Amino acid sequence: MRKFLQRTLICILMMSCSFAWAQDQIIPEDSTEFRDFLILQKEVQGLSYRFYLLEKSISDSLAADSVYLFSKTDSGFISNSFSDFGMIQDLEKPLVEDSLNFRLDFVVFSQSVDQTAVREYLANLVRNGDYQVKFEEIKSSEDLVSLASRSPYSPFLKYKLKFVADYKLFGVTVVIVFFFVVALTMIVYMLIMKARKTKRENLQKEYDQLIVDPLTSLLFEKELDEIHDMEMQEIYQYFPQSYLGKPLYRDVLIDRIIGLNKKMKGEFKDKLKVLYKRLGLDKISAESLKNKNWDRVTEGLVQINEMDLVEALPEVKKHANSSNFHIRSQAVATLLNLSEKVDLAFLRDQTFPLSTWQQMSYLRIIKFVGQQKDLKLEILFDSANKSIRIFGYKLVRMLGRIDLIEVLSKKAMHVEEDEKIEILETYSVLGAHMEAEFVNQCLNSGSPNLVIAAAKAAGVIGNEESASILMGLLRKEVSFSEKLIYLRSLNELDKAEFEAFTQLNPDAQILEIRAHLLDPLLQHV
């Protein structure tokens, strides 16, 4: 039994050795045959090759060739690695034609090896069953003609339109076409708008010519009572009913009447206002206040203000606190101008701050209506809007309302700093000497801006305590501009104290300011 097992083991070892020997014999040892063997295999996993040129220099075209990607070494040039051995002949051809001295280097897993190592690597792959050796080039055994004859023809429609198949070209073309369509649309739209504008301008000129003569003759031929009592049929003789039904004609008529109303005076203005209502244009102005466009609303407010349409005031009040600046400004101006009792409540309740332009506009109107109506300016002092309160203080000063100083004195100590500054200026302009105590309190406040404002007011309405406080401020470290203000007020308030303080003071700046203030040529400088 032992002898049988020994013989069996010996046979297995002999068979393994003979199989390994047979595999090694498959791979040629001769370099030329080995090269042809690799060409036949095409590709082998983990195995590649590259060309090594034993040259000091190569041509520029070969060096720049993107196939080889030659790189310079110490002894020559070495190419990029290739895995397809079937390309060896094609790759060698340009090198042979250039008579270059080169050799073929093998690379196994990025390591340069010789032919012996490559054979061992191939033999190991074959022994392990990881690679199947090819002995001849595989050719298709199928009869393609017979196979095609048995298959029915069906057209391949996916790329029937080559233009659509190239999606990049198609996308660019779509963008260009879209651009031209949009450009053409815009051009057509602009031409249409231009034509409409030209037509509208021509119609406006035509309507203006139709309106001027009848309007002028009506104003000069008819009296105010006659216009008021005219029948509509008679009015239509001047302004045809067919034209009055056209919005553009009415707009031109409104502009022409309002334009004349601004230029004329006396009875002519009354005639225009009566005619405006007889033609029903007042309803159009009132209706424009409900328009969604702010410019139309503002235009309607202007028309109501110019033509004294008092009946539209309830609708105007709705716009007094509008978020639109122009609507809000014109609505307040209209209410100030047309309201019979101007209590200014609509102005007090505004939540938006007043701009300088608005204050100037309202002041102009208030100055005019203040001569005819009783304005309750004190209602503005209770506004939650600080800019409204400050505007109220300015109105007291500019309108000379001395009767409101007592009301201001009750609020002066409970308002903010910038309001106190405005009140101090109002006291100074109105000469409110009874408020000297408030001035002294502001002088001792410690706030730089408030102290300066109080110092200016002290020169007009201050007392002995004010002079003492001013001298105390001058003894502190203050700037030249502040010294000038304090000394000017002290000079206006008490000349004796001014002389005593400045003559004994060693400060050079104070002496310069003294000379400046006492110079009659520089009194207003």
Side-chain angles (χ1 to χ4, degrees):
M1 185 66 179
R2 174 185 283 181
K3 291 182 180 180
F4 176 75
L5 292 174
Q6 290 177 349
R7 290 176 181 176
T8 304
L9 182 59
I10 291 171
C11 289
I12 293 173
L13 290 173
M14 291 178 65
M15 290 176 64
S16 300
C17 291
S18 96
F19 179 71
W21 177 82
Q23 288 177 334
D24 291 339
Q25 291 299 318
I26 291 174
I27 304 173
E29 296 183 2
D30 182 68
S31 59
T32 303
E33 294 179 355
F34 183 69
R35 176 176 173 276
D36 296 337
F37 173 78
L38 291 176
I39 292 173
L40 181 63
Q41 304 308 311
K42 297 290 185 182
E43 291 186 4
V44 179
Q45 57 186 15
L47 179 61
S48 59
Y49 63 96
R50 59 189 179 186
F51 295 97
Y52 189 83
L53 303 183
L54 302 174
E55 301 287 347
K56 294 182 179 180
S57 63
I58 58 177
S59 63
D60 294 340
S61 60
L62 188 60
D65 196 325
S66 60
V67 176
Y68 296 98
L69 296 176
F70 280 111
S71 58
K72 179 70 175 176
T73 63
D74 295 338
S75 57
F77 296 85
I78 190 167
S79 72
N80 187 27
S81 297
F82 303 95
S83 59
D84 188 357
F85 288 94
M87 297 173 56
I88 290 179
Q89 294 177 346
D90 295 333
L91 294 173
E92 285 180 342
K93 187 175 180 181
L95 304 180
V96 174
E97 291 177 354
D98 291 347
S99 301
L100 297 175
N101 185 12
F102 68 92
R103 72 167 184 262
L104 195 65
D105 283 356
F106 296 102
V107 179
V108 177
F109 296 116
S110 303
Q111 296 292 329
S112 181
V113 296
D114 56 9
Q115 181 176 326
T116 302
V118 174
R119 290 186 72 259
E120 292 178 359
Y121 173 71
L122 288 172
N124 186 46
L125 290 177
V126 174
R127 281 195 298 272
N128 294 335
D130 295 331
Y131 184 74
Q132 185 176 1
V133 179
K134 300 176 184 177
F135 297 99
E136 60 181 356
E137 186 175 357
I138 300 175
K139 297 182 180 180
S140 177
S141 59
E142 295 182 354
D143 188 352
L144 298 180
V145 176
S146 300
L147 182 63
S149 63
R150 291 197 298 271
S151 301
Y153 171 74
S154 60
F156 193 54
L157 300 177
K158 184 177 181 181
Y159 297 110
K160 184 177 181 180
L161 296 176
K162 188 176 181 181
F163 174 75
V164 179
D166 190 347
Y167 64 92
K168 292 182 179 179
L169 178 61
F170 179 73
V172 172
T173 305
V174 169
V175 171
I176 294 174
V177 171
F178 176 76
F179 170 78
F180 279 108
V181 170
V182 172
L184 182 61
T185 304
M186 291 178 63
I187 292 172
V188 172
Y189 178 76
M190 287 189 293
L191 291 175
I192 294 174
M193 293 299 295
K194 178 65 175 177
R196 288 181 178 178
K197 184 179 179 181
T198 303
K199 182 180 178 181
R200 182 181 179 85
E201 291 175 351
N202 294 333
L203 280 175
Q204 285 177 335
K205 293 178 181 179
E206 181 182 348
Y207 290 156
D208 191 58
Q209 293 175 357
L210 295 174
I211 290 171
V212 171
D213 292 338
L215 184 59
T216 305
S217 60
L218 186 63
L219 292 175
F220 285 95
E221 293 175 1
K222 300 290 183 179
E223 297 295 332
L224 178 61
D225 295 337
E226 292 178 340
I227 296 176
H228 188 273
D229 297 332
M230 286 177 64
E231 297 290 339
M232 289 305 301
Q233 293 299 327
E234 188 178 357
I235 293 177
Y236 291 152
Q237 293 178 3
Y238 291 91
F239 307 102
Q241 186 177 6
S242 58
Y243 283 113
L244 286 172
K246 297 180 180 180
L248 183 59
Y249 181 84
R250 293 197 301 267
D251 291 341
V252 175
L253 182 57
I254 290 173
D255 292 340
R256 175 58 68 177
I257 292 176
I258 290 179
L260 289 174
N261 185 65
K262 291 180 178 179
K263 297 176 182 178
M264 293 186 174
K265 296 180 181 180
E267 188 178 359
F268 285 105
K269 294 177 72 70
D270 297 333
K271 290 180 180 180
L272 288 170
K273 292 174 183 178
V274 171
L275 180 61
Y276 196 85
K277 293 181 179 180
R278 293 301 310 277
L279 292 171
L281 301 179
D282 56 331
K283 297 179 181 179
I284 297 175
S285 299
E287 190 66 24
S288 63
L289 299 183
K290 301 177 182 179
N291 199 290
K292 295 181 180 179
N293 298 324
W294 69 267
D295 57 322
R296 293 291 298 170
V297 176
T298 306
E299 187 177 359
L301 290 169
V302 171
Q303 295 167 5
I304 291 171
N305 191 13
E306 289 291 334
M307 305 311 295
D308 295 343
L309 303 179
V310 181
E311 60 275 9
L313 287 181
E315 193 68 28
V316 174
K317 286 184 179 180
K318 297 179 182 179
H319 298 283
N321 200 29
S322 172
S323 59
N324 186 282
F325 175 84
H326 301 283
I327 295 177
R328 184 171 68 250
S329 302
Q330 191 58 47
V332 172
T334 303
L335 291 171
L336 288 173
N337 194 34
L338 299 184
S339 298
E340 293 182 2
K341 296 181 180 180
V342 186
D343 59 358
L344 301 182
F346 56 88
L347 187 58
R348 177 199 60 190
D349 298 334
Q350 275 204 354
T351 57
F352 297 94
L354 288 181
S355 68
T356 305
W357 181 87
Q358 285 177 316
Q359 293 182 31
M360 292 176 60
S361 177
Y362 299 163
L363 175 62
R364 180 182 59 83
I365 299 173
I366 289 173
K367 277 186 175 181
F368 174 74
V369 300
Q371 301 173 2
Q372 307 168 0
K373 305 173 185 178
D374 182 21
L375 297 177
K376 297 180 180 180
L377 297 181
E378 62 274 17
I379 198 173
L380 300 179
F381 305 158
D382 299 326
S383 175
N385 189 336
K386 185 172 69 173
S387 64
I388 300 291
R389 296 196 299 270
I390 292 176
F391 180 58
Y393 307 146
K394 290 180 180 179
L395 289 176
V396 173
R397 179 173 71 250
M398 294 178 180
L399 298 178
R401 295 290 299 273
I402 301 177
D403 57 306
L404 295 178
I405 291 179
E406 185 178 355
V407 180
L408 282 179
S409 63
K410 295 178 182 179
K411 298 181 176 293
M413 294 305 301
H414 308 289
V415 296
E416 298 180 14
E417 180 180 309
D418 47 354
E419 294 181 62
K420 288 181 179 180
I421 293 174
E422 197 65 43
I423 291 174
L424 283 170
E425 186 175 353
T426 300
Y427 286 165
S428 177
V429 171
L430 297 180
H433 294 280
M434 72 289 293
E435 300 299 329
E437 184 62 28
F438 176 70
V439 174
N440 296 336
Q441 291 177 358
C442 294
L443 283 173
N444 292 320
S445 65
S447 174
N449 295 330
L450 185 57
V451 170
I452 291 174
K456 292 178 180 179
V460 181
I461 60 174
N463 54 19
E464 294 179 358
E465 185 182 352
S466 303
S468 177
I469 297 173
L470 287 173
M471 287 187 289
L473 292 172
L474 285 166
R475 293 187 182 96
K476 298 179 181 179
E477 292 291 336
V478 294
S479 64
F480 179 85
S481 60
E482 291 175 348
K483 289 179 182 178
L484 177 61
I485 294 171
Y486 299 154
L487 285 173
R488 177 177 280 121
S489 295
L490 182 61
N491 183 38
E492 295 173 354
L493 183 60
D494 193 336
K495 293 187 180 296
E497 289 289 348
F498 173 79
E499 289 290 341
F501 181 81
T502 55
Q503 284 180 351
L504 301 176
N505 199 302
D507 191 345
Q509 286 186 346
I510 289 181
L511 295 176
E512 291 177 3
I513 295 172
R514 167 189 164 84
H516 173 83
L517 294 175
L518 295 179
D519 190 339
L521 298 177
L522 301 176
Q523 287 183 357
H524 303 288
V525 179

